Amino acid sequence: MSPKRQSLLPFFLILPAVIFFLIFFALPLISGIQTAFTTPEGELTLANFEKIYGKSFIKAVFNTLSLVAIIIPIQLALALVIALLVNTRLFGTSKFLFICAIPIALSEIVAGIIWLSIFTEKGYLNVMLHTLGFLKQPTIYLSYEKPATLFMTIALTEIWRATAIVMLIILPGLQMIHKDYFDTADIFGASRLQKLRYVTLPMLKPTIRTSLIIRTVLAFQMFAPVLVLAGRAFPVLASETYRIQFFTRNIHLAAAYALIIMVISTAFVLFYMRSLRTRWSA
Amino acid sequence: MKKQEVICYIAMVIISLFVLVPIILITIGTFTPRLELYKWPRGLIPSRFTSDSFISFAQSYGVMNGLKNSITVAVLTVIFSLLIGIPAGYSLSRFKFKGKSLFTVGVLTTRMFPIAILAVPLVKIYMGLGIYDSILGVAFIHTIFAFPFAILISHSIFASVPREFEEVAMVLGCSRLGAFRRTTLPLVAPGIAAIAIFAFIISWNEVFAATLLTLHNRTLPALIVARLEATTLDFLFASAFFMLVPCLVFIFIIRKRLLRMWGIILR
Amino acid sequence: MAEVRLENVCKSFGDVKAVDNISLHVKDGEFIVLLGPSGCGKTTTLRCVAGLEHVDEGKIFIDERDVTNLPPAQRGLSMVFQSYAVFPHMTVFDNIAFGLKLRKASPDQIKERVKEVASLVQIEDLIDRYPYQLSGGQRQRVALARALAVEPKVLLLDEPLSNLDAALRLQMRAELKLLQKKSKVTTLYVTHDQVEAMSMGDRIAIIRNGSLEQVDTPERVFNHPENTFVGNFIGSPPMNMLECDVVEGGSIAIGNFTYKLPESVVKAIRKTKTSRVILGIRPKNITITKEKRKNAFMAKIGVIEPIGEELVVNLTVDGKLLRVIASPSQDLRMGEKVWLTPDTRKIHIFDKKTGKNLL
């Protein structure tokens, strides 16, 4: 190979990725912004945002943000517990790890249906309560009259499904912390909790930040569990985007919605980046 | 056993049950006679196990076609992701070049956006390109989900194979490509297989983009979403079980690599 | 059997000049060692010869054939890496046979040749094993056998012994040298270990910051360093370097003392008209006495390090550190003031400005 061609080889190898990135990531991003700010006739406008702004929009924003606010701290805590358990390296922890990782392979929609089978009127929750004698007639959980219950079932489904993602990011981060730090803490007489507080958590900060970013971004595209469990009774941003695209067939409104999701989620990412900065690591 | 160990084991059992019980329940539900699902009172264990729901799901209109679409889209996603991801991952692991860090940052930013949402503007672009409601169109957006993973994971897999292997081979008489084929490739093959499985699962499971970008050529998840409002529990249970099984098999195959792969993504 | 010639070879990585205008003529059958501190460009030089790095400027010849633009495969050489790079997915046999297969040798030829080189490096019993079943030293032999199997014109060795433990390193050093003498293959050997270089090389090429400092036999490099860098780098503990002013009457000033130089040295200094020089003297070539001697200077003893049969005595002269090797039979104490007498025949005088040896 001639020297000239050899020096071009690395660029040649990333070229497909770059082209693909431009066409299917950058282009839709730009086109989405453009579509959101234009009318079907191509005129510049803010009307799309005015049109989607209303009761259901506020509800969707509120619902999405409350889900994020509830799900993510719980998932983070649960993931940390699982990771710490795995890291005890007791007998059986590798099987435990595998079990905890299973949901990562499951579709949103499968998770939704699985929990539907539990919370539906004649579902397994009522069946079990009945078998144990707590209940005569089935309770209805999934009804638009009970937004709080809907909220909890959706949150539970998401916690069940996506804690694995957080855990699988946290665990390698935890394992990267060198044992010497803990030994040092031991020598100074730190208790378990003190070690968690002063060694583990501070050193995990960059990892936690990454997991928060990935998890929050995913939460903004959460869609199927909501649709399966609540239908239209519990609008979130992604399901509303879908509804507008399919039922109004107005791509400009949908694009405006999509843009809002992008903006909110980017705001979250930036917030995490700033607030969880560490001075000793990138 | 120490008290702390007992507490750890209790916690592990509780968490394991929390993960496993719902999966067992959906399995029971799938093989429960259809009418019993609507009966009250009913027991946890059905009067008999039957594959009726499963068979009627498989036979209902559009399902086989959806399955075919899902598999085709997933296979295309695997092929595209590997074709795009492996050369890029190799390049990152073997060369220093201008713009390398910019490229890496670009790859990493994809995970800072809810990519599925890009399906909305893509509807318009696809209509222009004539690939709206097509298998290819869905495969493209699924590739956008999967290829950053493919790049990052293959990058680290290649980095774990010393470049000296290729260099020795080149000194001893191989071309660059020949050296790659004879030394690095056999060593990374299992890792590449894991990437392929990962890409397959991502595509097989994806709902939002597939739903938005198709009308008639629906993948299974998109088909289920479209039927949600007018369907029966047995159809849903069977569909969930059907979607679940291949994923369980696949994740079992790559279980040893799971941790390493995700560890890589975090960096 | 081949000569290797580098002509004004340059190679940069970004702003870093890894190889800066190196010209070197390696004779047929010669064992030449490229020696230098880490990051000096010795490995890059070797990789340029191998064709793994493309030179920016200059030319490389193997046996009068310009190989500058040829890929590694067509240069007819072999290489052993620091990490050995023994293929983990191949048996020892397949590893050794690798190059032969690429050369389309017949299975019988391959078998025979593999057996031959395997017995040469004494691994004939390991032929069916996989690398993970081998120790570091055995892997090293496999890498060597693989390199020798193709009967290369030139053998390139990049710190091949640095991953071995000390005892094995000593053994392999001798074996490797013997092997090279027997096979008479032209060899370029990279190391940062000066003892290794001294004991193995026919000639040593000392490299610093990408440039050749001196190319000479081990004896010449040790006894006639061309500049302060070589003087300092070769020998352990390193050569003492004292900065001195030249004073009238063929002497130099060391602190408050004047040290009289022999006439030949004085002449050499005069020729350059320099007024400030560096006196270089090896720790072995200084005698410590308690009573004053002629042409001696005073020093204060600091830390004394016993290293078995000898002592390394750290002394300060005029605020500068000096090391002298002394015998334990001398009753030396820390803090004591003693007299130092350099062996006048063994001193080196370097020009302060250029660092060049004036003798």
Side-chain angles (χ1 to χ4, degrees):
Chain A
M1 208 180 285
S2 77
K4 196 88 185 219
R5 271 180 61 203
Q6 173 139 12
S7 65
L8 285 178
L9 183 62
F11 297 104
F12 181 69
L13 290 173
I14 63 166
L15 194 63
V18 172
I19 292 174
F20 201 84
F21 178 85
L22 290 177
I23 297 181
F24 292 99
F25 184 81
L27 181 66
L29 206 59
I30 295 164
S31 152
I33 295 170
Q34 191 206 356
T35 314
F37 285 104
T38 52
T39 61
E41 289 73 39
E43 292 161 41
L44 223 56
T45 178
L46 287 174
N48 299 320
F49 294 94
E50 282 164 27
K51 255 183 237 168
I52 54 176
Y53 186 80
K55 238 170 105 189
S56 74
F57 170 75
I58 294 170
K59 224 168 144 188
V61 172
F62 178 77
N63 286 343
T64 308
L65 292 183
S66 4
L67 277 172
V68 167
I70 288 292
I71 293 172
I72 289 176
I74 295 181
Q75 278 187 332
L76 196 59
L78 187 57
L80 197 59
V81 168
I82 297 175
L84 288 170
L85 283 171
V86 171
N87 230 17
T88 59
R89 295 173 204 268
L90 293 172
F91 178 77
T93 43
S94 62
K95 284 194 184 66
F96 173 64
L97 170 63
F98 172 61
I99 290 172
C100 291
I102 287 176
I104 205 170
L106 301 189
S107 169
E108 273 190 17
I109 196 154
V110 171
I113 293 171
I114 286 178
W115 286 86
L116 177 72
S117 81
I118 294 171
F119 286 114
T120 188
E121 190 188 344
K122 282 152 193 170
Y124 290 105
L125 179 61
N126 280 336
V127 167
M128 277 187 255
L129 291 175
H130 176 77
T131 315
L132 296 171
F134 292 120
L135 205 71
K136 276 250 146 58
Q137 285 306 306
T139 321
I140 294 174
Y141 303 102
L142 304 173
S143 148
Y144 73 97
E145 289 163 0
K146 297 180 178 171
T149 320
L150 278 179
F151 176 82
M152 268 161 20
T153 54
I154 292 167
L156 190 60
T157 306
E158 274 299 285
I159 290 167
W160 180 80
R161 182 184 74 87
T163 300
I165 297 172
V166 183
M167 186 269 291
L168 281 176
I169 297 170
I170 299 247
L171 183 57
L174 194 64
Q175 292 180 341
M176 273 191 313
I177 303 177
H178 203 279
K179 200 174 145 288
D180 287 356
Y181 296 117
F182 295 107
D183 289 348
T184 309
D186 274 333
I187 288 170
F188 287 110
S191 71
R192 255 160 219 278
L193 270 178
Q194 281 173 323
K195 271 188 278 180
L196 189 68
R197 165 81 180 75
Y198 294 111
V199 182
T200 314
L201 289 181
M203 298 200 86
L204 264 186
K205 216 162 145 188
T207 313
I208 289 175
R209 184 180 63 181
T210 309
S211 69
L212 278 178
I213 291 174
I214 290 179
R215 184 59 199 101
T216 310
V217 165
L218 289 177
F220 280 102
Q221 48 191 33
M222 181 178 53
F223 165 66
V226 179
L227 236 52
V228 173
L229 290 166
R232 289 190 51 191
F234 193 85
V236 292
L237 285 169
S239 68
E240 281 298 282
T241 311
Y242 159 75
R243 198 178 58 76
I244 286 174
Q245 165 66 17
F246 258 80
F247 296 99
T248 71
R249 291 272 150 205
N250 186 335
I251 188 84
H252 297 269
L253 291 184
Y257 232 103
L259 187 60
I260 291 168
I261 299 180
M262 288 283 177
V263 168
I264 299 179
S265 106
T266 308
F268 266 86
V269 170
L270 292 178
F271 169 73
Y272 290 140
M273 302 261 249
R274 280 199 72 83
S275 59
L276 287 171
R277 226 174 1 192
T278 48
R279 253 177 294 164
W280 47 272
S281 125
Chain B
M1 219 181 334
K2 281 186 288 177
K3 196 179 129 206
Q4 284 147 348
E5 284 183 18
V6 177
I7 295 172
C8 286
Y9 276 115
I10 292 173
M12 289 204 280
V13 169
I14 292 174
I15 294 170
S16 300
L17 286 177
F18 173 61
V19 174
L20 289 178
V21 166
I23 295 176
I24 296 167
L25 291 179
I26 195 76
T27 312
I28 297 174
T30 305
F31 295 99
T32 299
R34 264 189 277 177
L35 290 177
E36 272 184 45
L37 291 175
Y38 294 96
K39 236 170 55 185
W40 187 266
R42 72 179 180 107
L44 188 60
I45 307 297
S47 59
R48 64 189 173 89
F49 285 99
T50 163
S51 48
D52 286 355
S53 313
F54 201 70
I55 290 168
S56 88
F57 162 74
Q59 286 172 343
S60 59
Y61 177 73
V63 166
M64 275 306 142
N65 203 33
L67 174 64
K68 200 186 82 198
N69 289 342
S70 264
I71 292 177
T72 318
V73 168
V75 168
L76 284 176
T77 303
V78 169
I79 293 172
F80 293 157
S81 306
L82 294 184
L83 282 181
I84 294 171
I86 290 176
Y90 182 79
S91 181
L92 287 180
S93 76
R94 287 289 190 266
F95 302 104
K96 281 184 195 146
F97 54 92
K98 263 210 183 99
K100 181 173 172 173
S101 56
L102 181 73
F103 178 73
T104 317
V105 168
V107 171
L108 290 177
T109 44
T110 56
R111 66 176 190 191
M112 297 193 181
F113 284 92
I115 304 175
I117 305 300
L118 287 180
V120 177
L122 270 179
V123 170
K124 200 176 151 196
I125 295 173
Y126 277 10
M127 283 176 166
L129 292 172
I131 52 171
Y132 178 69
D133 193 20
S134 76
I135 298 298
L136 196 63
V138 181
F140 279 145
I141 190 164
H142 285 179
T143 306
I144 272 288
F145 286 98
F147 93 89
F149 288 75
I151 291 177
L152 295 174
I153 299 171
S154 64
H155 168 29
S156 101
I157 293 173
F158 285 127
S160 73
V161 177
R163 62 193 309 162
E164 282 91 351
F165 289 158
E166 283 172 43
E167 290 179 345
V168 159
M170 286 200 299
V171 169
L172 289 176
C174 286
S175 64
R176 187 171 260 288
L177 192 66
F180 174 77
R181 195 173 57 75
R182 281 166 185 271
T183 64
T184 306
L185 194 60
L187 292 169
V188 299
I192 303 279
I195 298 177
I197 286 178
F198 212 71
F200 190 96
I201 292 180
I202 287 176
S203 167
W204 174 260
N205 282 341
E206 202 283 328
V207 197
F208 187 85
T211 308
L212 240 64
L213 291 171
T214 56
L215 278 178
H216 306 290
N217 287 313
R218 293 198 185 282
T219 61
L220 269 184
L223 184 78
I224 299 168
V225 168
R227 302 254 174 103
L228 264 182
E229 294 191 11
T231 189
T232 52
L233 285 179
D234 61 288
F235 177 89
L236 287 180
F237 291 1
S239 69
F241 182 75
F242 189 82
M243 295 274 306
L244 176 87
V245 172
C247 295
L248 288 185
V249 173
F250 279 154
I251 194 139
F252 185 75
I253 297 173
I254 59 170
R255 67 188 183 287
K256 292 240 165 74
R257 292 180 167 267
L258 264 183
L259 199 57
R260 272 203 16 229
M261 280 167 50
W262 278 86
I264 291 152
I265 292 162
L266 102 104
R267 278 185 273 280
Chain C
M1 302 303 105
E3 297 186 336
V4 179
R5 228 170 62 234
L6 285 77
E7 282 181 2
N8 308 97
V9 170
C10 295
K11 172 77 191 174
S12 303
F13 297 107
D15 297 333
V16 184
K17 277 198 163 175
V19 180
D20 189 2
N21 199 20
I22 282 189
S23 298
L24 180 66
H25 186 174
V26 186
K27 290 173 220 135
D28 184 15
E30 191 177 25
F31 193 123
I32 196 156
V33 178
L34 306 183
L35 174 69
S38 60
C40 72
K42 54 194 190 302
T43 294
T44 309
T45 309
L46 195 74
R47 290 170 60 86
C48 286
V49 176
L52 295 170
E53 303 290 350
H54 205 278
V55 301
D56 298 336
E57 278 171 59
K59 283 192 179 324
I60 297 172
F61 296 89
I62 295 176
D63 259 355
E64 299 308 315
R65 187 167 69 125
D66 183 352
V67 299
T68 316
N69 289 312
L70 290 182
Q74 290 169 30
R75 298 189 179 198
L77 36 77
S78 276
M79 187 160 176
V80 175
F81 288 83
Q82 183 173 3
S83 63
Y84 318 141
V86 174
F87 303 130
H89 56 301
M90 297 180 194
T91 60
V92 170
F93 181 93
D94 288 333
N95 261 291
I96 300 176
F98 188 83
L100 299 168
K101 282 182 189 158
L102 290 171
R103 280 161 181 67
K104 306 262 182 319
S106 74
D108 288 339
Q109 280 175 312
I110 292 178
K111 235 185 209 158
E112 198 177 322
R113 180 68 186 149
V114 170
K115 238 173 125 186
E116 208 177 303
V117 284
S119 75
L120 195 64
V121 300
Q122 300 161 29
I123 49 168
E124 55 271 63
D125 302 337
L126 308 173
I127 221 86
D128 294 322
R129 296 217 191 151
Y130 276 95
Y132 75 92
Q133 298 165 303
L134 305 179
S135 69
Q138 289 167 333
R139 274 181 226 185
Q140 154 91 78
R141 287 162 193 268
V142 175
L144 199 57
R146 180 176 63 189
L148 291 173
V150 294
E151 297 177 66
K153 286 196 261 180
V154 181
L155 180 62
L156 307 177
L157 303 165
D158 185 7
E159 309 229 7
L161 304 184
S162 62
N163 284 358
L164 301 178
D165 60 54
L168 202 54
R169 194 152 56 211
L170 273 180
Q171 183 194 341
M172 280 308 288
R173 210 153 82 187
E175 274 185 42
L176 208 56
K177 188 169 180 180
L178 188 67
L179 212 62
Q180 196 270 339
K181 286 287 157 256
K182 269 200 270 182
S183 63
K184 297 195 179 69
V185 56
T186 311
T187 303
L188 277 77
Y189 185 105
V190 162
T191 183
H192 64 269
D193 181 341
Q194 44 133 339
V195 183
E196 214 167 278
M198 299 288 283
S199 66
M200 296 176 84
D202 294 330
R203 281 193 302 159
I204 300 176
I206 294 159
I207 301 177
R208 176 175 64 153
N209 295 338
S211 304
L212 276 181
E213 296 284 319
Q214 185 170 359
V215 186
D216 239 323
T217 60
E219 188 271 327
R220 292 277 307 171
V221 164
F222 187 80
N223 293 320
H224 300 277
E226 275 177 18
N227 54 40
T228 46
F229 175 78
V230 175
N232 221 334
F233 193 70
I234 303 281
S236 171
M239 183 185 277
N240 293 301
M241 299 283 179
L242 285 174
E243 255 185 74
C244 318
D245 282 322
V246 181
V247 290
E248 287 305 306
S251 300
I252 49 175
I254 301 171
N256 299 326
F257 300 88
T258 48
Y259 177 68
K260 181 108 180 68
L261 296 169
E263 197 50 39
S264 59
V265 177
V266 177
K267 257 188 207 154
I269 297 177
R270 280 212 186 106
K271 241 187 261 166
T272 58
K273 297 189 180 115
T274 186
S275 64
R276 201 153 168 78
V277 295
I278 294 171
L279 169 70
I281 178 92
R282 296 208 179 271
K284 274 227 156 153
N285 301 332
I286 303 180
T287 324
I288 302 179
T289 51
K290 300 212 172 182
E291 57 286 340
K292 189 174 173 181
R293 278 197 191 178
K294 206 181 136 207
N295 214 12
F297 49 92
M298 198 195 257
K300 192 177 159 196
I301 298 181
V303 177
I304 300 174
E305 311 164 48
I307 49 164
E309 290 177 33
E310 292 165 330
L311 299 176
V312 176
V313 184
N314 293 270
L315 306 112
T316 43
V317 178
D318 190 25
K320 282 166 210 140
L321 182 75
L322 224 78
R323 288 198 193 84
V324 175
I325 291 192
S327 146
S329 62
Q330 267 186 295
D331 181 29
L332 301 171
R333 298 266 159 82
M334 196 166 153
E336 207 176 347
K337 296 230 163 107
V338 290
W339 293 90
L340 303 181
T341 318
D343 181 345
T344 314
R345 289 161 304 170
K346 298 274 171 72
I347 61 169
H348 303 272
I349 297 288
F350 302 95
D351 188 333
K352 168 74 177 84
K353 257 188 261 145
T354 59
K356 287 252 181 312
N357 197 336
L358 299 177
L359 306 182

